[in-house]
Amino acid sequence: MELFIYLFAALFSVLNPIGTVPIFVGLTQNDSQPERNRLSLWTAINVFIILVVSFLVGQYVLTFFGISIDSLRIAGGIVIVSSGFSLLSGKFNKKRGINKKIENDAQKRNDIALTPLAIPMLAGPGSMSLLIAFYNQHKSTNEILISMAAILAISATIFVILRSAHYLAKALGASGIVAISRIVGFIVIAIGIQYIVGALVNIIKANF
């Protein structure tokens, strides 16, 4: 249970589905409720697939390219910290590749569940590197099953949040969403720094 809660909390902080609410509202403001529900479901499914592939296959990709897990932790930590600062400064959308041009283009397409919602808005480099590093430390069958359950749970949470996005936007207001995003941003920065520090400690121990 501790492993499940830790991974779920880490993914929730890095993915920040609450911060996606205003983007989803903006992109689906002219859609019907059934269409919004469909987009919410497929966004969650796409995120689940991306995270599972990153978790199970990412380690082998690193091996193929000769990248050490500590190098990944440092790179991923930097990306995660950058995302955290984006949340704190209110520039999260721009950092995730959601600018006005892309948003306008997305509104003209029939389906936005994969891009830009699943990628890069939710499942970005930070969450992928987090899962690859996590798999390196938790390889037993039981730990993998628990991790998969956490990924499924975060995907289900994303579905619920996006399906309720228009209600949440009205209830929380712009200031409420910003406040929550900045609190989450602080947690995200701490997670990223922890990954960098842990990697540096491992490198120092291995060489001295």
Side-chain angles (χ1 to χ4, degrees):
M1 182 58 70
E2 290 182 2
L3 184 67
F4 175 89
I5 294 174
Y6 172 81
L7 182 57
F8 179 87
L11 285 174
F12 187 90
S13 299
V14 174
L15 293 173
N16 186 31
I18 296 295
T20 312
V21 167
I23 299 300
F24 185 84
V25 171
L27 294 177
T28 62
Q29 58 185 339
N30 297 321
D31 294 332
S32 63
Q33 188 59 47
E35 177 64 11
R36 292 171 185 169
N37 295 342
R38 186 189 70 83
L39 288 172
S40 301
L41 177 61
W42 277 105
T43 299
I45 291 173
N46 289 331
V47 169
F48 177 76
I49 294 172
I50 294 167
L51 295 183
V52 167
V53 171
S54 300
F55 180 67
L56 298 177
V57 182
Q59 179 65 46
Y60 303 102
V61 174
L62 291 184
T63 302
F64 179 80
F65 287 104
I67 302 173
S68 69
I69 190 63
D70 287 323
S71 297
L72 176 78
R73 285 178 181 148
I74 293 175
I78 293 173
V79 172
I80 293 171
V81 169
S82 176
S83 297
F85 276 115
S86 300
L87 289 169
L88 284 175
S89 61
K91 298 179 181 179
F92 181 74
N93 299 343
K94 185 177 180 181
K95 289 289 185 178
R96 284 293 181 96
I98 309 296
N99 53 36
K100 195 65 178 178
K101 181 180 179 181
I102 294 177
E103 186 172 341
N104 291 335
D105 178 64
Q107 289 177 329
K108 297 176 183 178
R109 286 182 288 167
N110 292 327
D111 202 332
I112 57 173
L114 180 59
T115 304
L117 290 177
I119 301 176
M121 197 64 204
L122 287 164
S127 59
M128 294 178 187
S129 58
L130 184 151
L131 286 171
I132 295 172
F134 193 82
Y135 176 81
N136 185 259
Q137 294 178 316
H138 305 87
K139 293 183 177 180
S140 71
T141 302
N142 187 51
E143 288 174 329
I144 290 176
L145 291 175
I146 293 174
S147 300
M148 296 286 285
I151 294 173
L152 179 61
I154 194 65
S155 300
T157 302
I158 288 172
F159 168 67
V160 172
I161 289 176
L162 292 184
R163 185 172 180 175
S164 309
H166 287 258
Y167 302 106
L168 289 173
K170 291 179 182 178
L172 296 175
S175 59
I177 292 174
V178 169
I180 293 175
S181 294
R182 288 183 175 176
I183 293 172
V184 172
F186 184 78
I187 298 174
V188 169
I189 292 173
I191 292 174
I193 291 176
Q194 181 61 44
Y195 267 75
I196 295 172
V197 171
L200 292 176
V201 169
N202 289 339
I203 292 173
I204 292 173
K205 287 182 177 178
N207 292 278
F208 295 97

